């Protein structure tokens, strides 16, 4: 078994665990910092909207001896606007110039024929109106709003409202970061970018639901035991699905990274960047948010529930009593295993749960009162 596979098996069995929930404030701070940077980038630099959104002309030039850099300089001089020039496989070029009307497009076409030393009749000019892109954008925003409403309703029904809120915050986080990266790197935003953004929402939600499903299973009848707190069960859920999340994310990122870095970067197929950057950033952000944002937020919201707060007091009081007797603090020395109700008066709410706790039920005999996360099946 590979080292990663062995680690995944040990995480799933609860033999090892990382304290994601215990360090949630650090991850919250990091996420807020990244989000602020993305919003600042968006506010300062703005988005480089493509010709589909601003309107303009696309010129397809036949094979020419003029270099791409020279063609860009000639086009910008002729049009008075910024131009995007891409080399085509047949030796020709595709030139985009925004904010051109029909009359201006004809003048630029004539000038390009002279500067690039090609026949004007061989230059194909297509005008794109800004209304087309605006229509696409409006429909995309409408679809996004409906998608999020349906997601919240579904998660509230399938799981609970706290998970729906956490998933929604994670989705907004992923979207904000992805859009912010576009603003910071200056990549052009096209309809392909919009498609990529909508695609990553589904992936981000999928990864989050996997952890939520494990958490729902692990926290079933949690108040009927006094060995683990809700946060510890949540931590266990993250650990038990961690390697799966890493594997699926890496597998998804490899082809997208190939499009972005090799296709768009090394081979110069710049049009691939429109969609591949949104997918690459969104996939990574979605995996991150499901582990470091969504599940910790659920634990935070759940810990405000009176029953869960009472459970935490019982658990911490039981551990304190066990420690005073010289027994294992996690209650593994308790023959009953499932705790009792003799800790209702405990005063231990401010105590700190052991790092990585909730990750060792099975490794210590699987006697946890609450059903361990992921028990009974392997995903």
């Amino acid at each position: 078994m590979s080292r990663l596979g062995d680690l995944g098996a040990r995480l799933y069995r609860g033999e090892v665990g990382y304290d994601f929930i215990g360090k949630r404030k650090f991850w919250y701070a990091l996420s807020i910092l990244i989000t602020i940077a993305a919003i600042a980038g968006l506010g300062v630099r703005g988005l480089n909207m493509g010709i589909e959104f601003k309107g303009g002309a696309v010129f397809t030039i036949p094979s020419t001896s003029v270099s791409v850099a020279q063609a860009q300089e000639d086009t910008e001089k002729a049009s008075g606007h910024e131009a995007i020039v891409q080399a085509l496989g047949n030796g020709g070029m595709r030139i985009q110039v925004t904010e051109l009307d029909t009359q201006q497009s004809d003048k630029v076409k004539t000038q390009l024929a002279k500067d690039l030393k090609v026949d004007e009749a061989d230059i194909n000019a297509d005008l794109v109106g800004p209304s087309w892109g605006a229509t696409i954008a409006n429909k995309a925003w409408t679809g996004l709003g409906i998608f999020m409403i349906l997601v919240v309703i579904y998660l509230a029904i399938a799981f609970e409202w706290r998970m729906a809120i956490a998933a929604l915050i994670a989705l907004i986080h992923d979207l904000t970061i992805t859009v912010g990266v576009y603003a910071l790197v200056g990549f052009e935003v096209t309809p392909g970018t919009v498609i990529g953004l909508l695609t990553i929402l589904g992936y981000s939600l999928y990864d989050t639901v996997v952890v939520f499903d494990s958490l729902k299973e692990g926290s079933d009848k949690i108040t009927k035991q006094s060995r683990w707190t809700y946060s510890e069960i949540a931590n266990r859920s993250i650990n038990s699905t961690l390697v799966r999340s890493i594997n699926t994310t890496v597998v998804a990122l490899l082809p997208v990274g190939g499009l972005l870095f090799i296709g768009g970067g090394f081979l110069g197929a710049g049009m691939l960047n429109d969609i591949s950057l949104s997918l690459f950033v969104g996939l990574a952000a979605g995996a991150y948010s499901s582990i470091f944002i969504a599940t910790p937020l659920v634990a935070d919201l759940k810990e405000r529930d009176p029953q869960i707060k009472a459970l935490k007091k019982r658990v911490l009081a039981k551990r304190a009593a066990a420690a005073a007797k010289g027994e294992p603090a996690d209650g593994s020395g308790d023959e009953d295993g499932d705790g009792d109700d003799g800790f209702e008066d405990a005063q231990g709410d401010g105590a700190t749960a052991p790092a990585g706790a909730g990750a060792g039920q099975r490794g210590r005999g699987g006697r946890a009162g609450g059903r361990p996360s992921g028990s009974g099946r392997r995903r």
Side-chain angles (χ1 to χ4, degrees):
M1 182 181 293
S2 66
R3 295 183 64 181
L4 185 60
D6 180 60
L7 175 62
R10 295 179 66 198
L11 286 168
Y12 182 77
R13 292 192 299 267
E15 296 173 359
V16 294
Y18 300 99
D19 191 14
F20 296 102
I21 302 296
K23 295 181 173 59
R24 62 189 182 281
K25 291 184 179 178
F26 169 78
W27 299 116
Y28 289 164
L30 179 63
S31 300
I32 291 172
L33 187 64
I34 295 174
T35 304
I36 290 175
I39 294 174
L42 185 61
V44 174
R45 294 176 59 90
L47 290 174
N48 178 20
M49 304 303 289
I51 193 172
E52 295 85 355
F53 296 98
K54 294 196 294 188
V58 179
F59 302 97
T60 304
I61 310 297
S63 180
T64 175
S65 59
V66 177
S67 67
V68 169
Q70 184 61 46
Q72 181 171 5
E73 181 179 344
D74 292 339
T75 305
E76 291 179 349
K77 185 177 179 180
S79 64
H81 297 283
E82 186 177 350
I84 298 176
V85 181
Q86 296 169 321
L88 302 178
N90 60 0
M93 296 178 188
R94 183 175 185 269
I95 301 176
Q96 297 182 49
V97 185
T98 58
E99 302 176 31
L100 289 185
D101 56 25
T102 303
Q103 188 175 6
Q104 292 171 324
S105 172
D106 291 339
K107 291 182 179 178
V108 172
K109 180 180 177 181
T110 302
Q111 187 61 42
L112 283 178
K114 295 178 182 176
D115 294 338
L116 303 183
K117 300 179 178 60
V118 295
D119 191 341
E120 183 176 349
D122 293 334
I123 298 179
N124 182 47
D126 295 318
L127 282 174
V128 180
S131 59
W132 186 82
T135 302
I136 294 294
N138 289 334
K139 290 183 177 179
W141 283 115
T142 303
L144 178 63
I146 295 174
F147 169 80
M148 287 192 167
I149 292 172
L150 293 177
V151 163
V152 170
I153 294 174
Y154 172 76
L155 290 180
I157 295 174
F159 297 97
E160 62 172 294
W161 65 268
R162 297 175 183 84
M163 291 183 177
I165 291 177
L168 182 62
I169 293 174
L171 284 176
I172 294 173
H173 165 272
D174 299 343
L175 270 179
T176 304
I177 289 180
T178 306
V179 174
V181 168
Y182 264 86
L184 290 172
V185 302
F187 273 29
E188 189 178 28
V189 176
T190 68
T193 306
V194 177
I195 294 171
L197 287 174
L198 296 177
T199 303
I200 62 174
L201 294 179
Y203 183 87
S204 172
L205 191 63
Y206 167 80
D207 217 30
T208 302
V209 167
V210 168
V211 184
F212 283 179
D213 188 44
S214 177
L215 176 56
K216 179 184 178 183
E217 184 180 350
S219 61
D220 185 32
K221 299 179 182 178
I222 187 174
T223 56
K224 296 183 179 180
Q225 55 87 43
S226 57
R227 188 174 180 184
W228 307 110
T229 67
Y230 188 90
S231 291
E232 291 165 351
I233 296 297
N235 199 59
R236 157 93 185 169
S237 299
I238 297 175
N239 278 284
S240 65
T241 56
L242 180 62
V243 170
R244 171 180 173 154
S245 296
I246 294 174
N247 285 338
T248 54
T249 301
V250 170
V251 169
L253 284 177
L254 284 176
V256 177
L259 289 175
L260 178 62
F261 297 110
I262 298 178
F266 183 71
L267 298 179
M271 288 180 285
L272 294 175
N273 293 336
D274 303 347
I275 188 170
S276 58
L277 179 63
S278 61
L279 289 174
F280 190 85
V281 177
L283 289 173
Y288 168 85
S289 65
S290 66
I291 296 172
F292 298 105
I293 296 179
T295 309
L297 275 176
V298 172
D300 268 341
L301 294 172
K302 196 74 178 180
E303 291 286 0
R304 299 173 186 273
D305 183 275
Q307 288 186 322
I308 300 301
K309 290 174 72 175
L311 168 66
K312 185 176 181 180
K313 287 184 178 180
R314 292 200 306 274
V315 171
L316 296 181
K318 182 177 181 180
R319 287 177 184 166
K325 296 176 183 177
E327 297 175 353
D330 61 2
S332 58
D334 184 0
E335 293 302 324
D336 297 332
D338 58 357
D340 53 55
D341 296 330
F343 298 91
E344 295 287 344
D345 299 331
Q347 301 295 323
D349 193 40
T352 302
Q361 294 98 320
R362 295 180 191 178
R364 287 186 285 268
R367 293 186 293 105
R371 188 166 34 152
S373 171
S375 62
R377 61 175 174 170
R378 184 185 293 270
R379 297 182 180 83

